[in-house]
């Protein structure tokens, strides 16, 4: 019972993830997605798309990864992937958050969860690579449904998007083929601009970046 | 690629679950929970609490169940568990919804998902029983954190709550022991009333049910 009570404390703490808002919006919407919704969507994507993984993967482990990958944001907040000041990867702040939040669990389980979270962050195993590809694909579906979404809102150029998204290929070549096509179509539609276009747009008020 | 495109259509359709509101509210909150958040929370509960299952379970299967168990509500809407008119279990409406929504997937996968969903609904396998116990536990945590929440709001008596919650024991005796304790404490605190108390409360304006 002692152990169960500790686990319940953790489960209640998890509720806070429902309040952490991401920059990206729901499909065809102007409502921001929260981290709980995002994590659920990645989990559903994982069970639907697992067969496209480059390598055979332990789907249960990928699910654990995507379900908890953003939990540290309860303390550290959401870091926008295209933020040029604050880097998302392995900040001290996130490690402290992991230790506090997973530390609510019985110690053996806390260690297991921290290790799964670090595995996702390090992105070296086949499971982590596939989980990462899910995490990169979802906002691509969102932004393309929202006339460019955060790309337009924050002047993110094609080159940066391409660089961030191409890691999808490490998890799944076939999903990357689809994603790359979405990116190229976005450029054609004008909802994703190349760097020089944004530069020109920014210096010419007749052609704002969102036009 | 053909198969992937079908799967992407399904994944986009899933976004709609983020708009389906439940009656229960987030912990210590007056904001309704949506089905995507709810499903995510059950999935996290599953990986944390699986060890308490009465029987050894296939955790991956339980996760698939809880991740998709409410998907039919995209078409059929949320049915309140204590609704006395509309029964939640296996309505024709839900079966039609399952066929339409899961039918967006490639046919073999559609069959697999419909079968997992039905297994959850039928609640006969060990996996379904554990998944169901998660589905019953979460709103209990919510209502006890919200001064009775939906119990007070909709005059749901102790006897009905006890009847709905006791199925937790089929998935986990130890979790049920904890849940039963929460229910009893709620009666002591007056945030969950017995039938005769609600009856008296309703007929006596000096003692409204929420007092």
């Amino acid at each position: 019972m002692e152990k169960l009570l500790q686990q319940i404390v953790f489960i209640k703490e998890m509720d806070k993830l429902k309040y952490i808002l991401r920059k990206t919006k729901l499909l065809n919407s102007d409502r921001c997605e929260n981290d709980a919704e995002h994590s659920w969507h990645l989990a559903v994507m994982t069970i639907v798309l697992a067969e496209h993984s480059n390598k055979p993967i332990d789907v249960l482990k990928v699910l654990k990864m995507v379900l908890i990958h953003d939990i540290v944001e309860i303390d550290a907040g959401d870091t926008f992937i295209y933020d040029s000041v604050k880097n998302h990867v392995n900040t001290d702040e996130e490690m402290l958050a992991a230790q506090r939040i997973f530390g609510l669990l019985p110690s053996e389980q806390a260690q297991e969860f921290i290790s799964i979270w670090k595995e996702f962050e390090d992105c070296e195993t086949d499971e982590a690579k596939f989980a990462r590809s899910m995490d990169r694909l979802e906002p691509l579906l969102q932004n393309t449904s929202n006339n460019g979404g955060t790309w337009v809102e924050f002047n993110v150029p094609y080159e940066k998007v391409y660089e961030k998204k191409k890691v999808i290929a490490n998890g799944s070549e076939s999903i990357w083929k689809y994603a790359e096509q979405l990116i190229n179509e976005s450029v054609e539609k004008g909802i994703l601009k190349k760097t020089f276009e944004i530069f020109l747009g920014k210096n010419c008020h007749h052609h704002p970046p969102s036009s």
Side-chain angles (χ1 to χ4, degrees), chain A:
Chain A
M1 186 60 105
E2 179 68 29
K3 210 172 167 190
L4 176 58
L5 291 178
Q6 275 186 276
Q7 290 163 328
I8 295 285
V9 170
F10 175 81
I11 284 164
K12 288 182 175 176
E13 182 72 12
M14 288 304 93
D15 205 59
K16 296 180 182 166
L17 209 65
K18 298 169 191 169
Y19 296 95
I20 310 291
L21 294 184
R22 293 165 54 78
K23 291 278 185 289
T24 40
K25 314 281 200 294
L26 302 189
L27 292 179
N28 309 300
S29 166
D30 56 5
R31 201 263 271 169
C32 282
E33 185 181 44
N34 68 53
D35 272 348
E37 297 169 326
H38 165 65
S39 304
W40 168 79
H41 215 149
L42 298 198
V44 173
M45 289 166 66
T46 297
I47 57 176
V48 171
L49 299 176
E51 64 180 295
H52 299 284
S53 173
N54 293 337
K55 300 280 176 60
I57 41 170
D58 174 349
V59 178
L60 177 56
K61 191 183 246 191
V62 178
L63 284 177
K64 288 180 178 178
M65 281 182 190
V66 298
L67 288 169
I68 65 164
H69 78 292
D70 272 341
I71 277 176
V72 296
E73 298 187 355
I74 288 175
D75 286 0
D78 178 50
T79 301
F80 186 43
I81 190 173
Y82 301 110
D83 194 316
S84 53
V85 180
K86 192 176 170 190
N87 195 307
H88 166 76
V89 182
N90 285 321
T91 62
D92 294 346
E93 201 183 358
E94 289 193 342
M95 180 49 85
L96 278 174
Q99 283 163 352
R100 184 193 73 77
I101 299 167
F102 294 123
L104 297 170
L105 288 165
S107 65
E108 207 177 313
Q109 202 166 35
Q111 288 316 309
E112 185 207 336
F113 277 53
I114 289 177
S115 132
I116 288 173
W117 171 74
K118 278 166 84 169
E119 185 176 330
F120 173 80
E121 289 289 313
D122 294 343
C123 205
E124 281 166 7
T125 63
D126 294 326
E127 282 75 17
K129 286 175 188 166
F130 191 78
R132 183 62 53 110
S133 68
M134 297 296 99
D135 197 28
R136 290 285 193 273
L137 177 62
E138 195 222 18
L140 186 56
L141 300 177
Q142 293 167 324
N143 279 346
T144 49
S145 83
N146 286 325
N147 292 316
T150 55
W151 302 331
V152 169
E153 190 177 352
F154 300 100
N155 283 314
V156 186
Y158 160 82
E159 292 83 352
K160 217 162 189 173
V161 171
Y162 195 92
E163 184 204 324
K164 289 286 182 189
K165 298 300 180 190
K166 75 177 183 216
V167 301
I168 292 174
N170 300 336
S172 167
E173 288 289 352
S174 55
I175 296 176
W176 169 238
K177 208 172 144 187
Y178 167 74
E180 195 178 21
Q181 198 174 303
L182 270 190
I183 294 172
N184 290 335
E185 284 170 11
S186 301
V187 173
E188 283 163 31
K189 284 182 191 162
I191 60 174
L192 178 60
K193 308 260 184 192
K194 299 203 171 175
T195 303
F196 78 94
E197 291 178 295
I198 291 177
F199 179 77
L200 288 177
K202 269 189 165 166
N203 290 286
C204 170
H205 292 296
H206 305 300
H207 302 93
S210 58
S211 69

